[in-house]
Amino acid sequence: MTDIRMIKRLEEFPSNSIITPGIENKMLNYSFWTSKLHDGKGLVMNSKDIKQFNEETIRKADTVYNLQQYKESLSKKELSAFIKEYKFTDKMKVDDEGKQIKKDFLDSLIKNTNLEGIKEENKIEYGMSIKKLQVRGFPTEAGTYESADSNLDRFQETSCEPCEAVLILHKSKDKKWYFIQTYNYRGWVKAEGIAIAKDKKTVFDYINSENFVIVTGNHVTIDKNVKENNKYNEVFNMGNKISLVANGEVFDKYNRQYYVLNLPLKTEEGYLGFKESLIAKGKDIVEGYLPYTRENIIKQAFKLQGEKYDWGNKFSGRDCSSFIADIYKTFGIMLPRNAGDQESSHGKHYKFDETESVEERNKILDNLSPGAAIFSPGHVMMYLGKIDGVHYMIHDFLAYGKKIEDKYVAVPVAAVAVTSTLLTVSSGVPYIRKFSSAVQFEN
């Protein structure tokens, strides 16, 4: 279903570097910031440290899971509670065409969640995503919005990326939707995009393989599907992890110039299978994870500069917390999905008190290293550094405030851009006054 608001927005906000007040052209280049790093190439954490970090995140964040250790079944009470976490709100007023949402439509969605089909004990099935999927709060592609001029679909939660392990917890009444658990989110996805495995081992042998590539570019496209008889995912996004084929006829023929990908698919019987595809070694991908250095964090962030803001990753972009999470995925770091959960996750924490002055807040920022996440209510930003007494950040945001005569008006951005911490929000308050905390993602 095409969102007419999204088409309009894409025309209004082309993908390029956006210059906000107080930003010079030189600040739009990652090398400007990496040249100022004290030890930009030094490892922040090695692979052992990152494994420990992820274990601590799973322990502290109740939205992040080790799916391999997830329970084998859910009780009726547990599963019902998960599905009922999604509720209709007063921000769900109009549909894709700007018409008022009707009660019978909402009632049909509740019916399709198939609550009456939940048993006393519900065995979990294992599977993998074969393409990028929208994760929805309810089993429907239809959108709902706060107003006719809004493009924030309130049914959209996040995305399930290709080649992810998923747990199938429940199925909709019409059988077209699965209620799934990924490593950091639950929600409804279209069943056609999930291949159910015959056994748990197949999924986690793939996920735990030490022979893989990570997509380090914003988006990359595979070069060739060796077996053309199935639909397959063509475009991969930053942070996507794809298992490799390390031997065999295709590997022997192509491995000098290509990585031979092992992509999940649905077999003719409807179960999880795999196929070989190729992606050129010259593309923006790496074998294994990127080294976790300050320089690499900044480089990854600037690859997303100018990309459109995309609420819940509904289309090809990201929102503010996915901007952060996808960058850190390239290092093998697992973060919660939403900004509020990222703020309370594992790491070195710095707190801001609402009574603090700008000068006092600047002193807290002085303690941060580039790459730290800075949080305000409902938003997350990445810290870049300090120039001439002013702190700067890069983030994926909708707008800033500009004073016209005696009031502030919102200036649309809806993209990833570099800003100072003194830039004002639409109400006229500087961003720095809205900060609640900052987190360095390290042990």
Side-chain angles (χ1 to χ4, degrees):
M1 183 177 295
T2 301
D3 188 334
I4 57 175
R5 298 174 191 79
M6 181 58 64
I7 294 174
K8 184 171 186 291
R9 195 196 70 191
L10 290 173
E11 293 171 347
E12 290 176 345
F13 302 105
S15 180
N16 53 28
S17 297
I18 295 167
I19 302 179
T20 58
I23 300 301
E24 301 176 49
N25 278 322
K26 62 184 180 181
M27 295 179 177
L28 304 180
N29 193 313
Y30 80 87
S31 62
F32 174 81
W33 301 102
T34 57
S35 67
K36 300 179 184 306
L37 295 173
H38 172 64
D39 184 22
K41 296 184 185 298
L43 281 180
V44 180
M45 293 192 291
N46 60 29
S47 58
K48 182 179 179 181
D49 296 329
I50 290 173
K51 181 180 179 182
Q52 181 184 355
F53 179 94
N54 289 339
E55 289 171 351
E56 282 298 306
T57 296
I58 291 169
R59 188 177 68 83
K60 290 182 178 180
D62 59 7
T63 59
V64 182
Y65 294 87
N66 180 336
L67 296 182
Q68 196 167 356
Q69 296 177 2
Y70 203 88
K71 56 179 66 179
E72 298 292 326
S73 63
L74 294 173
S75 69
K76 183 174 185 177
K77 181 178 179 181
E78 289 173 316
L79 182 52
S80 298
F82 286 162
I83 294 171
K84 290 178 180 179
E85 286 175 340
Y86 293 105
K87 303 180 186 302
F88 301 125
T89 73
D90 58 5
K91 292 185 177 181
M92 300 172 179
K93 295 179 179 178
V94 300
D95 62 18
D96 291 302
E97 297 179 349
K99 297 178 181 178
Q100 185 175 358
I101 296 290
K102 301 287 182 63
K103 183 179 182 299
D104 58 353
F105 168 69
L106 300 180
D107 290 343
S108 71
L109 296 184
I110 294 297
K111 184 177 181 180
N112 201 28
T113 61
N114 196 24
L115 291 171
E116 71 274 15
I118 299 176
K119 303 172 183 177
E120 288 303 319
E121 200 67 26
N122 302 273
K123 186 174 175 59
I124 288 169
E125 294 183 278
Y126 301 87
M128 293 191 69
S129 51
I130 61 175
K131 60 182 178 179
K132 178 176 176 175
L133 297 167
Q134 295 178 7
V135 179
R136 311 286 284 169
F138 294 90
T140 179
E141 289 184 271
T144 183
Y145 309 83
E146 188 171 6
S147 64
D149 59 356
S150 171
N151 56 33
L152 305 185
D153 179 359
R154 298 295 173 172
F155 282 167
Q156 179 68 17
E157 293 294 323
T158 187
S159 60
C160 174
E161 294 298 309
C163 307
E164 279 201 57
V166 300
L167 308 183
I168 297 93
L169 308 183
H170 187 55
K171 298 175 183 177
S172 63
K173 193 172 186 67
D174 64 9
K175 307 298 183 185
K176 294 180 180 179
W177 295 83
Y178 292 159
F179 190 74
I180 66 163
Q181 173 74 62
T182 68
Y183 78 94
N184 68 354
Y185 220 82
R186 279 188 296 270
W188 293 95
V189 299
K190 294 190 74 173
E192 66 184 30
I194 299 294
I196 297 178
K198 292 183 177 180
D199 58 78
K200 176 179 178 179
K201 183 177 183 298
T202 300
V203 172
F204 291 104
D205 280 351
Y206 184 99
I207 295 301
N208 296 328
S209 171
E210 296 182 357
N211 190 27
F212 62 89
V213 291
I214 291 288
V215 176
T216 47
N218 186 357
H219 309 290
V220 300
T221 305
I222 65 173
D223 294 275
K224 185 177 181 181
N225 182 40
V226 180
K227 298 176 182 177
E228 300 285 357
N229 59 339
N230 281 289
K231 290 183 178 180
Y232 58 96
N233 192 81
E234 293 182 318
V235 180
F236 291 86
N237 307 309
M238 182 179 289
N240 288 174
K241 178 182 177 183
I242 314 165
S243 180
L244 293 176
V245 175
N247 53 58
E249 182 181 345
V250 174
F251 177 83
D252 293 339
K253 183 176 180 180
Y254 293 106
N255 78 89
R256 290 175 181 258
Q257 293 177 292
Y258 296 92
Y259 289 113
V260 184
L261 307 177
N262 192 27
L263 297 183
L265 55 70
K266 269 188 180 180
T267 64
E268 292 181 2
E269 294 78 23
Y271 289 102
L272 174 63
F274 300 94
K275 66 173 178 297
E276 296 166 328
S277 293
L278 305 176
I279 190 166
K281 291 186 175 181
K283 292 194 173 179
D284 201 346
I285 52 179
V286 294
E287 196 165 352
Y289 292 113
L290 273 178
Y292 184 30
T293 67
R294 306 281 179 214
E295 182 174 291
N296 280 339
I297 300 171
I298 302 306
K299 282 183 179 180
Q300 290 303 108
F302 274 79
K303 289 177 183 179
L304 305 180
Q305 185 181 195
E307 183 176 58
K308 324 299 176 302
Y309 181 93
D310 185 9
W311 172 270
N313 312 350
K314 185 175 182 180
F315 299 97
S316 62
R318 301 166 179 82
D319 54 25
C320 65
S321 53
S322 281
F323 167 74
I324 297 294
D326 286 358
I327 291 166
Y328 278 90
K329 279 182 188 177
T330 64
F331 310 111
I333 294 173
M334 299 168 59
L335 294 179
R337 167 59 179 89
N338 291 331
D341 296 316
Q342 290 177 1
E343 185 174 14
S344 59
S345 64
H346 182 55
K348 294 182 179 178
H349 289 254
Y350 301 84
K351 297 291 184 181
F352 295 89
D353 188 284
E354 60 182 16
T355 63
E356 291 167 337
S357 66
V358 169
E359 291 74 20
E360 291 171 319
R361 286 169 172 257
N362 273 324
K363 289 180 180 178
I364 295 174
L365 292 175
D366 287 340
N367 294 312
L368 300 183
S369 296
I374 305 173
F375 297 90
S376 63
H379 189 49
V380 58
M381 301 139 277
M382 179 179 286
Y383 180 68
L384 287 176
K386 183 178 181 181
I387 307 295
D388 298 329
V390 178
H391 294 276
Y392 293 86
M393 55 197 185
I394 183 169
H395 52 130
D396 200 347
F397 65 112
L398 290 172
Y400 64 89
K402 180 179 180 180
K403 191 171 185 180
I404 297 180
E405 295 179 350
D406 61 344
K407 65 179 182 180
Y408 279 85
V409 297
V411 178
V413 177
V416 177
V418 177
T419 75
S420 87
T421 58
L422 300 178
L423 184 70
T424 55
V425 300
S426 55
S427 65
V429 178
Y431 267 97
I432 192 171
R433 294 303 300 266
K434 304 281 285 183
F435 294 166
S436 54
S437 72
V439 181
Q440 295 279 171
F441 296 123
E442 54 190 271
N443 295 321

